[in-house]
Amino acid sequence: MPAAKGPIHFRIHHLLGLFLGTFAGIVCLTGAVAVVSHELQWLAVPATRAGAGEPDSTLGQRWDAARAAHPDVLFGGLSVTSTESGVEDYFATTVRGTDRGGGEFRVYVDPVGGEVKGSTSGVSFPSFMRALHYYLFDVTGAGFYVVGILGPVLLMMMVTGLRTYRGWRKGFTKWPRAAQRPRSWWGALHRLLGVWSLLFLPVIGLTVVWYLLEWDGLLQWDGPEPPQGTAVLADIRTVSGEDIDRWADTARTALPGLRITSLWLPWEEGGTVSISGQAGDLLVRERANAVEIDPVSGEVRRVVKVSEMGWKQRWTHTADPLHFGGFGGLWSKLIWFASGLVLAALCFSGVAVYCLRTGPTKSTNS
Amino acid sequence: MIRRFLPLILPCLLVFAYAALSYGFWRKGSVGSLMRELPAVVLGGETIVPSHPAGLEPGDPDFYWRVSLTPESLARLGPLDLAHGYGETPPAEEAWLPLPTGTAFGAFTANPDLPDAATGKSGLRLWLRARLKDPVVTQSVSVD
């Protein structure tokens, strides 16, 4: 392994890039794909697309349609794929449940007309990408730390890179020239991507540092535990669309302006019906605003409003939209997707610089 | 040459080999355990399909029974009880367990105690009972 010479910040930049550059590049790439995973699924699976026009069916009607089409499936909730900016009208409503074998089962119902468009089972593409990017499929939790450590690493590489790159403020328009030798060309590209990544790398890096602290239990700002219902539903299978619509109306009354993005039936005995969505707040994830309803009495057990949160709890719900860029609908997602690609290219161009630099002619210039 | 590029590639290779190994466990956890279905039981004229996690036996902490039936069948039968035991004799009253209901993903599952639990013992039968039927109806199915 060739040892880097030069100032300490360059040596740190070189060392981190050498051992973690390729890995960081792939994680950035999976993150970029994860940002638009629902849209990619929309492209690949026609059943997930909503028809043209305004939604004219209630959540309850969509629930009933899914139940009628798949009587053997045990349905536990429904969700309207959305971004933090509001409900995305190009997605079909997903009614979620488990099949007879205990596997995940999703029925897609068109909000326009309320008809079932299709179903899928097993792992969905967004779930796959999320698990790969978030924790490398590692159910023990160790994978989360392996990925999470890249947050501080990326920030350190940013700082040491800037220290290494003299005159970086003028580097936003310094494009690599075709006439340059390959090593110089890749170096110029690396520097160009590096300065442009300053627009979003701090956001990505700092939110990952936050995830690390949150995951570690050092900072738990996510409010109190949800309340319990007072009674138990006679049977989850008898929940009808009428029940769903009644609970949805109760939630909208308890939290005016609520645009429901998910509704979950109790997960355990004595649990509540949990309804969450957006209520016009800036930069909060879907589950931030929520209403918990006793499924038997129909009473509201708890209302969680973003507007009543302290700044710590509010920040907990803001990290996700900042990291994944879903706060502005499809356009912000596409910008975050492009940013993720730039970060990945930044990592890989650094790797290319190293490879070319350690070729037949040895040099320690960056 | 290989030594030069090893630090570049090796950490990444190790991490993603680890991810590939983890994938199987993650997928199993995501889609639920593989269930072994028993022959359908006809109880009071209604068809019920019992199952349990494949490869596990009563007494295992992760073991549970799952019974599936349509909402209409359940409405006709009313609450169900479940028991299991060895041999053809119906289990004693204290061995019956009402099936918990009212949850999205835990409904109709139970893991009752098996008084004479002995894994590998033959003649295990699963018993189902509809208490509110008049008369009470009971049916069993061989698990072996």
Side-chain angles (χ1 to χ4, degrees):
Chain A
M1 182 178 88
K5 293 172 186 170
I8 182 72
H9 43 262
F10 173 69
R11 277 184 279 163
I12 293 172
H13 192 81
H14 175 269
L15 207 65
L16 290 174
L18 180 61
F19 286 100
L20 296 170
T22 316
F23 174 46
I26 294 176
V27 170
C28 290
L29 200 58
T30 58
V33 175
V35 165
V36 290
S37 57
H38 283 103
E39 280 71 16
L40 292 174
Q41 183 178 252
W42 183 92
L43 288 170
V45 184
T48 62
R49 301 172 197 165
E54 285 294 309
D56 54 5
S57 60
T58 65
L59 293 178
Q61 286 168 337
R62 296 172 218 173
W63 176 268
D64 279 341
R67 282 179 77 217
H70 297 277
D72 285 350
V73 173
L74 181 62
F75 289 106
L78 57 83
S79 63
V80 183
T81 304
S82 61
T83 65
E84 284 76 12
S85 67
V87 178
E88 301 281 24
D89 56 8
Y90 48 86
F91 286 115
T93 299
T94 309
V95 186
R96 297 167 189 274
T98 49
D99 60 22
R100 186 171 282 185
E104 223 178 274
F105 196 87
R106 294 168 296 276
V107 182
Y108 302 103
V109 185
D110 194 341
V112 184
E115 286 184 7
V116 171
K117 296 200 75 181
S119 63
T120 56
S121 59
V123 177
S124 68
F125 180 65
S127 298
F128 175 91
M129 285 312 303
R130 186 176 182 276
L132 173 61
H133 176 69
Y134 195 2
Y135 50 88
L136 300 168
F137 304 120
D138 182 7
V139 290
T140 69
F144 174 82
Y145 290 103
V146 175
V147 175
I149 202 71
L150 291 177
V153 164
L154 283 174
L155 291 174
M156 279 178 76
M157 290 180 82
M158 179 186 78
V159 172
T160 54
L162 288 177
R163 292 290 305 273
T164 305
Y165 183 12
R166 286 181 195 142
W168 62 265
R169 288 179 189 82
K170 294 174 186 169
F172 287 92
T173 51
K174 285 188 178 171
W175 293 85
R177 296 187 306 275
Q180 284 177 296
R181 286 180 299 125
R183 189 223 157 280
S184 302
W185 188 90
W186 280 103
L189 180 68
H190 186 61
R191 287 189 293 274
L192 180 74
L193 293 171
V195 291
W196 278 102
S197 73
L198 290 174
L199 299 175
F200 43 85
L201 196 151
V203 173
I204 303 297
L206 287 172
T207 48
V208 176
V209 171
W210 157 254
Y211 290 142
L212 272 176
L213 297 173
E214 188 188 35
W215 184 273
D216 227 9
L218 295 175
L219 300 169
Q220 283 292 351
W221 295 337
D222 200 11
E225 285 293 305
Q228 292 292 293
T230 51
V232 174
L233 273 175
D235 175 25
I236 208 82
R237 287 173 191 256
T238 58
V239 169
S240 66
E242 211 175 295
D243 296 322
I244 298 287
D245 282 338
R246 192 175 62 251
W247 291 327
D249 287 342
T250 303
R252 289 188 193 105
T253 306
L255 212 165
L258 178 71
R259 284 180 299 181
I260 296 171
T261 55
S262 70
L263 183 153
W264 291 102
L265 302 185
W267 287 79
E268 54 192 12
E269 284 187 61
T272 55
V273 173
S274 178
I275 299 178
S276 56
Q278 290 291 339
D281 302 287
L282 191 67
L283 280 172
V284 286
R285 57 188 170 190
E286 263 79 26
R287 65 173 188 265
N289 288 288
V291 180
E292 308 276 347
I293 298 169
D294 188 302
V296 177
S297 68
E299 286 175 15
V300 174
R301 309 292 299 171
R302 183 172 74 153
V303 180
V304 182
K305 292 180 185 172
V306 169
S307 55
E308 293 173 358
M309 288 177 182
W311 71 269
K312 291 176 182 174
Q313 197 181 353
R314 161 85 196 211
W315 164 252
T316 302
H317 292 291
T318 300
D320 274 1
L322 284 177
H323 189 80
F324 290 104
F327 55 85
L330 181 62
W331 287 108
S332 69
K333 278 189 181 184
L334 289 175
I335 291 169
W336 252 244
F337 170 66
S339 303
L341 293 183
V342 167
L343 278 183
L346 174 67
C347 296
F348 293 132
S349 61
V351 168
V353 170
Y354 169 82
C355 291
L356 292 165
R357 189 167 64 81
T358 55
T361 54
K362 269 192 179 177
S363 164
T364 54
N365 297 330
S366 83
Chain B
M1 192 69 175
I2 289 175
R3 260 185 63 204
R4 254 179 213 162
F5 294 110
L6 211 55
L8 209 60
I9 300 163
L10 196 62
C12 190
L13 272 182
L14 285 175
V15 166
F16 283 98
Y18 183 63
L21 286 173
S22 301
Y23 177 72
F25 295 102
W26 172 76
R27 191 168 186 280
K28 193 180 171 191
S30 296
V31 301
S33 311
L34 189 63
M35 301 295 284
R36 176 193 170 213
E37 273 193 11
L38 300 180
V41 178
V42 179
L43 181 71
E46 308 297 333
T47 303
I48 301 175
V49 181
S51 59
H52 69 82
L56 297 183
E57 292 184 41
D60 189 301
D62 293 330
F63 182 89
Y64 59 89
W65 294 107
R66 172 174 291 151
V67 295
S68 301
L69 68 167
T70 63
E72 294 72 26
S73 291
L74 183 81
R76 285 192 286 267
L77 285 173
L80 294 169
D81 290 342
L82 177 147
H84 52 195
Y86 296 102
E88 299 283 342
T89 315
E93 191 55 37
E94 59 269 21
W96 287 93
L97 190 75
L99 279 166
T101 57
T103 64
F105 296 101
F108 306 107
T109 63
N111 187 9
D113 291 332
L114 194 61
D116 53 349
T119 51
K121 202 170 167 180
S122 63
L124 182 67
R125 296 188 77 81
L126 170 69
W127 296 80
L128 289 163
R129 180 172 76 177
R131 241 182 314 134
L132 295 187
K133 270 274 177 188
D134 188 20
V136 172
V137 286
T138 306
Q139 190 57 272
S140 72
V141 60
S142 171
V143 179
D144 294 330

